[in-house]
Amino acid sequence: MASKKIRSLRELYQDDPQRADALLFGRVPHGDRRGFLRGAGLAAMGATLGAAIPFHRFMPSGLIPVALAETTEEFVLEGKDGLIVLNDRPINAETPAHLLDDDVTPTARHFVRNNGIVPDNTSAEGWKLVIDGEVERPLELTIEDLKSQFEVVEYALQLECGGNGRAGFNPPAKGNQWTLGAIGNSKWTGVRLKDVLEKAGVKPSAVYTGHFGADTHLSGDPDKQALSRGMPIEKALDPYNLIAFQQNGQDLHPLNGAPLRLVVPGWPGSCSQKWLTRIWVRDRKHDGSKMEVPSYSVPAYPVAPGTDVPEADFVTIHSMPVKSMITSPQSGETLEPGQKSLALRGHAWAGDAGITKVEISNDFGATWSEATLKPLMNPYSWVTFESEVSFPTHGYYEIWARATDENGIAQPFAAPWNPKGYLNNAMHRIAVMVPRA
Ligand SMILES: Nc1nc2c(c(=O)[nH]1)N[C@H]1C(S)=C(S)[C@@H](COP(=O)(O)O)O[C@H]1N2
Ligand SMILES: [Mo]
């Protein structure tokens, strides 16, 4: 054991990324990853490092042991800032809640979710997008063609991974153990998918889209797609879906799909194909990689935690559910002595639906007060809420946030368990310490 060489995280993840992820970060309750590297995870990490970590319980959550990090170039995520890397093969990184405070998410703070290997060539030069299948006139368009033939628009759009919040489910689900930060609301510039599909002429036989990207499968097999998902044609024709070539006024980041991607707000992030090369309009439901059950699917009815659900009983996820997060203060904040109130801020969103209210509690849900909503930037943007929270005495407080959408659906205290750990929209809770005056 003592002679064991330090392996890079890349190697650690190579065989089974999900297992390595669980070993490294453990599986612990929502919003709190302290105490990772426990049990078998700790032993495995010790073996990996060639030594145990005596003070492991004091390691900040999400910290990558420097001995591992130093061996791994992949962890320098160029152009990203403060993200917690969950996995380096493929690269997956989320943003801590307090770094998502901006109304418009800076590119450096936008999460990264990759299923395969980022393409070597992410240059706009010569990039082509094909639109084919159930269309009157198949198209092959360069990025210049998109810019010159269609209206260019810019919207703030929420993009959330279907698995955001997975770490909060028990029993745990395999996959990236996202806590809260696989969500972003950047400004995206591009052309409307609808306009491009209409130029191609959608045939009455069209029922679904199939999306293709230039990234490669983890196995290296060129015939396999890392991810190829799609959506019903009705959703595809929503005017807020973009074929985007800019994020926050700049060329796309290579990890976020440069030079061209889809942004399909309100639906699982997996619909928003990065490194976009082809949209195949289909006469049936698309059957690309990760369209199959149980990927991006949930049981059609509520199931008890841990249930083994038959494949036939899954349905593909459409709109994401109502959700909110508190982005200021950071959880764990201690007020100044004598300070009796606090300015609170965060964001709320609800897939295809609008947000009607966000309520705040400082007494474990016994009473609620309504937060102020800032004006909505555009449909499918998240909405920012603000509130002043006061504290009657010193002590330990939790602040809970609960958003309600225009259908009257509010966030639950605990989201329904499902085998793959999707759609966790449980209320966000933060801790605040109020000291004696
Ligand atoms: N080509 C391609 N597109 C992709 C993916 C991918 O692995 N390959 N991941 C999808 C998933 S699961 C999500 S959540 C979003 C994440 O977008 P981001 O990395 O820009 O945050 O991209 C989607 N588009
Ligand atoms: Mo995702």
Side-chain angles (χ1 to χ4, degrees):
M1 180 101 111
S3 66
K4 189 145 190 160
K5 286 276 287 271
I6 293 171
R7 295 159 77 208
S8 72
L9 273 179
R10 189 179 226 279
E11 289 171 85
L12 179 64
Y13 274 107
Q14 210 143 20
D15 303 333
D16 185 347
Q18 270 129 29
R19 182 168 154 73
D21 216 345
L23 289 177
L24 184 54
F25 292 103
R27 287 165 167 157
V28 288
H30 198 211
D32 179 8
R33 290 216 312 232
R34 260 167 264 276
F36 78 109
L37 293 183
R38 296 174 304 184
L42 183 64
M45 181 60 84
T48 305
L49 286 170
I53 308 174
F55 291 128
H56 66 90
R57 67 185 181 284
F58 301 136
M59 288 180 73
S61 66
L63 189 77
I64 290 164
V66 71
L68 287 179
E70 277 174 0
T71 64
T72 317
E73 282 157 42
E74 282 78 7
F75 278 86
V76 182
L77 294 186
E78 206 56 50
K80 293 288 170 184
D81 168 35
L83 269 58
I84 294 173
V85 178
L86 301 183
N87 194 339
D88 80 332
R89 187 184 161 84
I91 295 171
N92 287 286
E94 70 169 328
T95 314
H98 69 284
L99 296 183
L100 285 170
D101 194 42
D102 301 89
D103 295 4
V104 175
T105 308
T107 306
R109 299 264 166 87
H110 198 280
F111 75 101
V112 176
R113 197 302 185 231
N114 292 344
N115 290 268
I117 304 296
V118 178
D120 288 335
N121 179 12
T122 58
S123 153
E125 190 76 32
W127 195 271
K128 293 220 176 70
L129 170 64
V130 169
I131 313 287
D132 63 357
E134 303 303 304
V135 293
E136 307 290 350
R137 297 167 292 278
L139 304 174
E140 189 180 88
L141 300 158
T142 64
I143 294 176
E144 280 314 310
D145 294 336
L146 289 169
K147 290 179 180 169
S148 61
Q149 295 177 22
F150 302 92
E151 187 188 352
V152 173
V153 291
E154 184 188 57
Y155 300 121
L157 299 171
Q158 28 109 357
L159 182 58
E160 182 178 21
C161 183
N164 195 22
R166 178 175 290 130
F169 284 115
N170 197 12
K174 268 204 237 160
N176 287 297
Q177 296 299 302
W178 305 109
T179 63
L180 292 152
I183 169 78
N185 192 63
S186 290
K187 281 194 173 165
W188 300 93
T189 308
V191 301
R192 295 183 190 91
L193 171 62
K194 177 182 199 289
D195 293 350
V196 175
L197 290 176
E198 282 173 356
K199 174 143 192 190
V202 176
K203 288 186 179 170
S205 52
V207 303
Y208 224 89
T209 55
H211 314 151
F212 295 82
D215 49 339
T216 47
H217 194 265
L218 280 180
S219 64
D221 182 343
D223 297 330
K224 282 191 182 166
Q225 296 284 321
L227 178 92
S228 174
R229 302 201 66 246
M231 56 190 153
I233 196 72
E234 298 74 33
K235 172 67 180 176
L237 293 172
D238 185 301
Y240 288 94
N241 298 326
L242 299 185
I243 300 175
F245 36 77
Q246 286 195 331
Q247 181 177 12
N248 299 316
Q250 305 215 291
D251 291 348
L252 298 184
H253 188 289
L255 291 175
N256 298 114
L260 198 66
R261 75 172 301 168
L262 281 173
V263 181
V264 178
W267 282 39
S270 52
C271 295
S272 296
Q273 193 81 27
K274 302 194 280 188
W275 311 289
L276 182 69
T277 55
R278 178 185 179 204
I279 298 170
W280 179 17
V281 180
R282 304 207 55 183
D283 63 359
R284 66 199 68 182
K285 188 174 181 179
H286 185 48
D287 52 1
S289 168
K290 309 259 167 117
M291 281 301 296
E292 68 286 353
V293 167
S295 290
Y296 303 102
S297 308
V298 289
Y301 48 84
V303 300
T307 304
D308 195 6
V309 180
E311 282 194 4
D313 291 359
F314 281 84
V315 290
T316 305
I317 298 167
H318 284 176
S319 175
M320 295 292 287
V322 58
K323 192 161 173 178
S324 64
M325 79 195 296
I326 298 166
T327 55
S328 179
Q330 182 175 2
S331 185
E333 166 121 339
T334 300
L335 301 194
E336 296 299 321
Q339 189 184 343
K340 280 283 187 288
S341 69
L342 177 73
L344 190 84
R345 197 172 44 241
H347 315 289
W349 61 97
D352 285 337
I355 290 289
T356 48
K357 66 176 172 185
V358 176
E359 295 160 292
I360 306 296
S361 178
N362 69 353
D363 54 10
F364 303 96
T367 63
W368 295 89
S369 68
E370 227 172 294
T372 306
L373 301 184
K374 286 174 77 173
L376 189 68
M377 285 183 273
N378 52 255
Y380 285 106
S381 166
W382 67 21
V383 63
T384 296
F385 63 86
E386 292 173 329
S387 183
E388 190 74 18
V389 181
S390 50
F391 304 95
T393 61
H394 66 86
Y396 171 82
Y397 288 85
E398 285 192 11
I399 303 178
W400 297 2
R402 175 174 75 183
T404 303
D405 73 15
E406 63 192 355
N407 303 315
I409 299 172
Q411 287 180 261
F413 182 78
W417 183 92
N418 61 91
K420 294 278 283 175
Y422 294 121
L423 307 183
N424 190 346
N425 67 335
M427 288 184 248
H428 185 201
R429 304 153 53 194
I430 65 161
V432 174
M433 294 298 298
V434 181
R436 285 171 198 275

